Amino acid sequence: MGDVDGDGRADALVGVVKSTRFHPEKGRRLFIFKEVNGKARPLWLGSQLGGTLQDFRYSDGAVISLEASADSLYSVAEWRWKDFGLRFERFLIHRTDKKTATKYFEL
């Protein structure tokens, strides 16, 4: 939970494992929902972030992701809401081993 879009209300961040319309292969995805009139409504149904999503968390207005690349290196990235969806802000650490990336992700 966190106020991803900055409107002052908490949004629900949900990790799912499924295919999507634009990425038919099954994978880990981040979906964000808002409460509208007492019902959960999609705010963002992300098909992918930068790499292969391993884990995510919400911190200080940002989504922090742990991602793997095709060559088995890992990165931790910061994403922030911009208009329609999440926008890449910066890498906290980029293209390193899993143990190091996980350490940064858990800070």
Side-chain angles (χ1 to χ4, degrees):
M1 299 289 293
D3 183 11
V4 175
D5 62 353
D7 70 352
R9 298 183 322 168
D11 307 306
L13 291 82
V14 180
V16 298
V17 178
K18 68 178 299 288
S19 60
T20 65
R21 180 174 163 187
F22 297 110
H23 293 97
E25 68 284 350
K26 191 179 252 189
R28 293 179 180 185
R29 319 266 186 222
L30 169 61
F31 288 3
I32 304 172
F33 295 91
K34 273 250 61 42
E35 183 268 316
V36 177
N37 298 324
K39 296 181 181 178
R41 298 287 184 223
L43 179 62
W44 191 68
L45 303 177
S47 54
Q48 286 187 265
L49 293 175
T52 302
L53 184 64
Q54 303 297 301
D55 204 352
F56 67 90
R57 63 183 171 81
Y58 177 82
S59 178
D60 298 323
V63 173
I64 308 300
S65 63
L66 174 62
E67 303 172 31
S69 63
D71 56 2
S72 300
L73 293 175
Y74 291 78
S75 299
V76 178
E78 177 180 310
W79 301 83
R80 292 194 181 265
W81 189 258
K82 176 69 176 171
D83 301 323
F84 170 71
L86 293 174
R87 178 187 68 204
F88 173 78
E89 287 289 313
R90 65 188 175 116
F91 287 112
L92 302 178
I93 193 165
H94 188 49
R95 299 186 55 76
T96 189
D97 61 274
K98 185 176 184 177
K99 182 177 179 181
T100 303
T102 300
K103 177 182 159 190
Y104 273 79
F105 176 75
E106 293 173 348
L107 291 177

